[in-house]
Structure formats: C-alpha cells, structure tokens
DNA sequence: AATGATAGTGTAATAATTACACTATCTAAA
DNA sequence: TTTAGATAGTGTAATTATTACACTATCATT
C-alpha cells in the first residue's frame, strides 16, 4: 500500500481561512493541533489532497471533517509554495477562504472530536506553520473583495436589516460608513429586495428585513461594481 | 533514485500564460509539444515543480528553459486541480501569468531547441490539456487587472508615447477609449514622467516619450486606483 | 407618559466622468 | 517648395456620482 515515483514530489495540502460573523465581531475558525509539529498550537483547518478528489473537494472535505461546516461559500485564495513551510517535508498548500453564517453553524463546529474554536480577529493566537501569513492574505482579499463584489451577504442570515449589512461592511473594512450614503448606494445597486417582515424582539423601532436577489446579483457581477471606501 | 510515499500524490506542475505586445497585437507565447500526450499540439510553457525549488522559482525556471525569457513580470493566477487534467496521471498545476516587453525578448524565444511561437489572441490554436481554460482565466484576469493596477507598463518599452499606452489599453480591454479623457486620467494618476525625448522615424509629428515612475507607482498601488472602462 | 434606542429619510456642495473638434508638427511625395 | 497625409496635443460644458450632514418616526421598557 505505498507508491513509488521517479522524482520526489511535494506533498499537496489545502488550508481554509473560515470567516464568520458573530453579532458584531468578525471571527475566524481555528483548530487546535493534536500532533507534532506545533502540537497544542492553533492552525487553519486543512489537510492532504487525496489522489481521487479535486483540490476544491479536498478543501470542502477537510472543512466538513474538522469543523462540521458544509455548503459554505468557498473561494480559492492563493497557493503557498515556499520550501520551509513545514519542518517535516516539502508541502505546497492551496489556500481557500470560506464565508459562513456563523449563527447557523456554530453549534456543529464544536461537536467534532477535534477542538475547533472561533476567534475574533483581534484576539487570534499566533498560528502554526505559515498560517499567520495565509490568514493575512485572506483578510486582505476579503477587504478588497467586498469593495467590488457583494459577497458580504454570505456572512449574514438570509434576511437581514440594512443596519446589519452596514455593520458588516464597517467591521470588514475597519471604518465607519455614513448611514444614508450606505443605504443609497446599496439600494441603488439593485441586488436587495425588501421583504414585508421586520426584525423581532428589539427594544426600539423594528427594522425592515431585506434579502438579496440572486438573479440581480449575477447581473451585478457581470456589470461589475465598485464600492468606494 | 526513486521515492516511496505512504499515499499516492498528485504531480505538481506550473504553467505560464505569457503575454507580449507586438506593435498592435497582444500575443501569447506557446510551445509545441514534442511528446505524447498531445504531441504536435501547442501548449502553455510549464513543467514539474522540483522538490528543492519554490513554486514561483519553478515557473521562472521553466520560462527560462523553454522560452529563454528572464526577469519578467510574473504573478500567480490560479491553481487548477481537477481530476482529469492530464490523461497520464493526476496533475495539479499552479498557473502564472507573465507580461513581457516583446520587442526586447522575441529573439531569444526562438533560439531554444523547442519550438516557441507568439500567437495573436485571435489566431491561437486550440491548446493541449486544459490550457485553453487556463488561458481564458489569465486573459480575464489581465483585463480586470489593468483596470485597477497599471501593470500595462510591463508590456511596453521603458519609454513610450501616450498613444502607445492608450493603444495597449484598447487592445487589452477590447474597446476604444477617448484620447483626451485617457490622457487626463493617466496623467492625473501621477505615475507618468515626461522625458524630453520624442519618438523617432515616424512620418508625422513625433510624440513625446514618457516613462513610469516606480516610487509613485508604489504609492498608487497602496492608494488603490480604478480605471473605468 | 417619558425615556432610550435605533430606523428611516433628503438636499446642497463638490468631485469625477463623459462627450466632443480643432490646431500643431512632422515626413514624404508631388 | 508646396501639399497631402498622418498623428500629436489640447479645453470646456453637461452630466453623473460622491460626500457631508440632522432631524423625525417607531417601538419597548420603565
């Protein structure tokens, strides 16, 4: 049950930077390593690409196995191919980033045998391997991406208020936005549909719930869109 | 001289989409395959990642070996990890795209043993493996990229006229641009420096030559920039 | 009934983008 | 030497997008 090759081959792995929105915090899902190297340290979920699965399948499988997450928004980030990434042997890793609706998924994440935990971005421990670097690249990409593709929706519940959406942008971009201008711009993009529902159980005027319109969203992607920060 | 692994590993390769500007045509550099599979067909330059080189080093080495190109602008594009990319075995490929000053490099490209040839984008043959797809992704990326990072300079000679620059944008984007607005925008970005030289040997008023200013270019990258199309 | 909290709304000033046409300068040919 | 042909180089007015900014509405709780 082993394989021979003419030349040495790098091991091929995937690593996932999973972002989730928890109330007012953007968080990242980390796994505590059980084994050496870096035993006891936190790392990004990930693992080896099997010979009979695509690289994206590998990323989804590892996410499912290590964190219980399923059917998340997943996008390839970058491939990290330096020589000394893993002390044991040469490992090339294809990194992905994922956006999940944290409220709906958080329970599952901790039922798994391995210890998985959500960390707020400013409370993250230092990570195993070169995962700090991978995380930074992912966060930069996310900040960039929300400015020209409205993927932020993937982090919110299906129905959300405009204030929630604005908060999300403020958290991701790390800056305050003007309420009226934000609404004007978002509604003008024509991807939001107002429902006739309102938020529940708040001690103030209830905000209208919106959802995002898949078809119009596809059109927007083709047209392109730019959200100035 | 062979290696054993516990589990089968995908082979890891790099492929490069090399863009060059030839007068008024955007071209891509292709290699004619000598061996099966796809012997005689055209393919992107590329090859295996060795165990003692980074993935980017592998891309640069293959470019050098197969096309003679050296010190080009090179950027990682995407990693293609489907199962059936190569009929012989499982191969995962990290694709890069390169921008070169064609005039300065075209000679070298053909001195190599293997047959390398520049093809205008609309005269390209169908390619081996999934290289058509890789090419399409690269071209889309290039079209996107020139709109928010002025990487187009990498395709022009060190000193160029504003008309050459405009033509380049028109070719890449596939649409005509207004001369006055283009100049206003480009000069307003503050990355061009006018030299006191003029183009030579043209049968009309000679245009002033410009070059691009590295430091200001770095600033621009940080600030961000958006070139509407 | 009053308080506290957030929802929801419009306008004027400024900046960016667009559309558009003529004169200047050079070479080559007559 | 004159003319024709080719491209360089320049400005403005109209339109559109972006910004800055403050008050009233509604609901739950006390």
């Amino acid at each position: 049950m082993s394989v021979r090759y003419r030349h040495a081959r790098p091991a091929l792995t995937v690593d996932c930077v999973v972002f989730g929105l928890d109330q007012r915090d953007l968080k990242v899902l980390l796994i505590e390593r059980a084994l050496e190297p870096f035993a006891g340290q936190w790392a990004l979920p990930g693992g080896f690409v099997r010979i009979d699965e695509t690289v994206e399948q590998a990323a989804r499988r590892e996410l499912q196995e290590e964190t219980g997450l399923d059917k998340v928004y997943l996008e390839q980030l970058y491939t990290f191919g330096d020589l000394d990434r893993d002390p044991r042997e040469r490992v090339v890793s294809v990194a992905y980033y994922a956006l999940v609706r944290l409220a709906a998924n958080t329970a599952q994440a901790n039922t798994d045998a391995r210890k998985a935990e959500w960390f707020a971005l400013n409370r993250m421990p230092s990570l195993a391997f070169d995962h700090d670097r991978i995380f930074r690249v992912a966060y930069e990409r996310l900040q960039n991406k929300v400015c020209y593709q409205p993927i932020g929706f993937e982090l919110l519940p299906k129905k959300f208020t405009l204030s929630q959406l604005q908060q999300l942008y403020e958290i991701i971009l790390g800056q305050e936005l003007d309420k009226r201008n934000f609404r004007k711009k978002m509604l003008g993009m024509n991807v939001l549909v107002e429902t006739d529902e309102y938020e529940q159980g708040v001690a103030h005027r209830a905000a209208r719930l919106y959802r995002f319109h898949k078809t119009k969203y596809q059109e927007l992607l083709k047209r392109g869109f730019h959200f100035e920060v």
Side-chain angles (χ1 to χ4, degrees), chain A:
Chain A
M1 258 304 286
S2 76
V3 224
R4 285 186 101 94
Y5 297 112
R6 182 88 181 67
H7 299 284
R9 296 184 169 188
L12 188 66
T13 62
V14 287
D15 287 303
C16 299
V17 182
V18 186
F19 292 100
L21 186 73
D22 174 16
Q23 307 285 69
R24 319 223 149 173
D25 280 326
L26 190 61
K27 295 191 166 178
V28 176
L29 187 56
L30 300 177
I31 301 290
E32 192 174 44
R33 286 186 57 81
L35 307 171
E36 289 297 341
F38 301 103
Q41 272 202 57
W42 294 92
L44 299 173
F48 290 92
V49 176
R50 295 183 187 158
I51 199 71
D52 58 353
E53 66 185 357
T54 69
V55 178
E56 181 171 325
Q57 278 164 8
R60 291 190 183 277
R61 177 183 51 73
E62 289 288 349
L63 266 187
Q64 162 59 229
E65 288 176 9
E66 298 198 338
T67 71
L69 292 171
D70 205 1
K71 294 180 187 154
V72 299
Y73 176 92
L74 188 72
E75 189 163 355
Q76 198 187 105
L77 175 64
Y78 195 77
T79 296
F80 294 84
D82 283 355
L83 294 177
D84 54 352
R85 299 187 55 254
D86 188 308
R88 292 165 296 183
E89 66 162 333
R90 177 77 196 284
V91 177
V92 171
S93 185
V94 184
Y96 283 79
Y97 69 99
L99 305 181
V100 308
R101 300 190 164 88
L102 197 144
N105 285 301
T106 189
Q108 300 161 29
N110 277 313
T111 57
D112 194 273
R114 298 189 215 189
K115 198 164 151 199
E117 211 171 297
W118 291 96
F119 287 84
L121 293 204
N122 51 7
R123 301 237 164 80
M124 278 174 61
S126 84
L127 305 182
F129 306 104
D130 61 348
H131 289 188
D132 286 313
R133 182 179 167 214
I134 298 178
F135 163 76
R136 277 197 307 277
V137 175
Y139 185 44
E140 278 167 28
R141 179 81 135 254
L142 178 62
Q143 290 190 315
N144 257 297
K145 193 97 177 178
V146 292
C147 289
Y148 63 93
Q149 281 186 23
I151 53 174
F153 300 123
E154 305 287 343
L155 290 160
L156 290 175
K158 293 271 148 92
K159 291 172 185 169
F160 49 85
T161 69
L162 290 178
S163 293
Q164 283 178 301
L165 186 60
Q166 181 175 345
Q167 262 179 41
L168 172 64
Y169 271 80
E170 289 177 339
I171 290 166
I172 293 178
L173 299 175
Q175 71 189 256
E176 301 213 328
L177 302 172
D178 179 88
K179 182 157 71 159
R180 278 172 293 190
N181 294 341
F182 180 84
R183 284 168 187 235
K184 208 189 308 173
K185 187 137 193 173
M186 271 297 160
L187 293 172
M189 280 171 16
N190 221 27
V191 282
L192 297 185
V193 188
E194 62 174 41
T195 68
D196 44 14
E197 292 168 72
Y198 291 82
E199 85 191 304
Q200 299 283 323
V202 286
H204 55 78
R205 178 173 173 183
R208 186 187 283 276
L209 296 175
Y210 288 76
R211 56 193 178 73
F212 94 107
H213 189 294
K214 275 206 178 157
T215 317
K216 290 176 177 170
Y217 171 76
Q218 301 299 338
E219 285 166 26
L220 186 68
L221 288 188
K222 278 174 212 151
R223 271 206 315 281
F225 123 85
H226 197 71
F227 189 87
E228 291 295 337
V229 290

